[in-house]
Amino acid sequence: MNNRAGGGPSADQNAEDGLQDLANLWQQAPVAAPVPEAIRAHVGRQERRMRWYAWFEWGTSLVVGVGGVYLVLRSEAGDALWRALLVVVLLAFAMAFSVVNRRGVWEPLEESVRGYLDLARLRLVRKRRMLIFAWLFFIAELGIFAVWQWLSAYGWLEPVFADSGRFALTWISVFSLAMGIWSFWYWRRIKSSEQQIAKWQQENIAVTEN
């Protein structure tokens, strides 16, 4: 009754004041700087390479795994089932890491320079983690082969390396050398990308401050 007598609804006035306050805050908020095309293009190229690598990696792993299991089961080894199981376990472990390591690295959390740079940094972290995993996985395989060869001396399993194993050790040495060279090159690429991201970060800070 009193509100009508006064000539204006106070509830409507309070709602309008709230909207006006919100509009004032929105106008005072800093305008986000647009994402430079160089950063957007860099992240886009990374994403295309990641997708291609992922499909290639999973396809190759599937072919090698299925082919390995088939060849093992077709062999005359008495422990063929155990060898096939080992191939499946190692393949499943590697594929699980591949999937988990790529989670959350496809799109930025926000459409801003910071969002794109954070995504680029996260991808580099995952690349470094993949490199470490590759070496640990390789060392684990060598350990499994060594234990398998040792158990074969007691007749529990058949030896992995025939005769003295000199031929296998030669190929393992060659593969280790090639993997070391590739790892050094890949690590240098990661460091170069980190320097580029740091440069973009400094440029973004300068633009924001101006």
Side-chain angles (χ1 to χ4, degrees):
M1 181 66 68
N2 293 333
N3 290 339
R4 293 179 181 178
S10 60
D12 292 344
Q13 185 65 37
N14 291 334
E16 291 178 0
D17 291 342
L19 291 175
Q20 186 60 42
D21 292 340
L22 183 61
N24 294 335
L25 290 175
W26 179 79
Q27 292 175 357
Q28 295 172 5
V31 178
V35 181
E37 186 60 30
I39 298 177
R40 192 185 298 274
H42 175 78
V43 173
R45 287 194 301 269
Q46 275 190 336
E47 181 178 350
R48 288 190 293 272
R49 285 197 298 265
M50 286 172 53
R51 292 186 185 278
W52 190 88
Y53 288 153
W55 284 111
F56 177 78
E57 179 181 318
W58 298 336
T60 303
S61 299
L62 185 61
V63 171
V64 172
V66 173
V69 171
Y70 174 78
L71 292 176
V72 167
L73 294 179
R74 291 272 297 179
S75 67
E76 298 178 356
D79 55 0
L81 288 177
W82 289 107
R83 297 189 182 202
L85 179 61
L86 178 61
V87 172
V88 172
V89 170
L90 291 176
L91 179 63
F93 187 67
M95 293 293 291
F97 172 82
S98 177
V99 173
V100 172
N101 196 49
R102 286 184 169 90
R103 287 181 179 174
V105 297
W106 299 107
E107 297 179 354
L109 295 179
E110 59 182 22
E111 189 66 20
S112 64
V113 176
R114 177 180 178 180
Y116 275 81
L117 294 181
D118 287 346
L119 178 63
R121 289 194 189 92
L122 178 60
R123 288 176 177 178
L124 294 181
V125 171
R126 299 296 177 84
K127 286 181 179 181
R128 188 177 288 109
R129 185 181 300 175
M130 182 274 296
L131 187 60
I132 296 173
F133 174 82
W135 276 103
L136 293 178
F137 190 73
F138 178 58
I139 294 172
E141 287 182 326
L142 294 180
I144 292 173
F145 292 156
V147 173
W148 196 293
Q149 191 76 7
W150 176 72
L151 292 176
S152 67
Y154 297 94
W156 295 347
L157 298 169
E158 295 189 12
V160 178
F161 306 125
D163 301 329
S164 62
R166 182 177 302 176
F167 179 78
L169 291 177
T170 300
W171 276 105
I172 290 174
S173 300
V174 172
F175 182 82
S176 300
L177 178 61
M179 189 171 175
I181 295 174
W182 171 80
S183 299
F184 178 76
W185 169 79
Y186 198 71
W187 193 271
R188 289 290 300 273
R189 284 194 61 184
I190 293 175
K191 298 298 293 184
S192 177
S193 298
E194 287 178 339
Q195 294 174 359
Q196 181 62 62
I197 292 173
K199 179 181 178 181
W200 281 332
Q201 181 69 48
Q202 293 299 325
E203 293 176 353
N204 178 59
I205 293 175
V207 171
T208 303
E209 291 178 350
N210 293 337

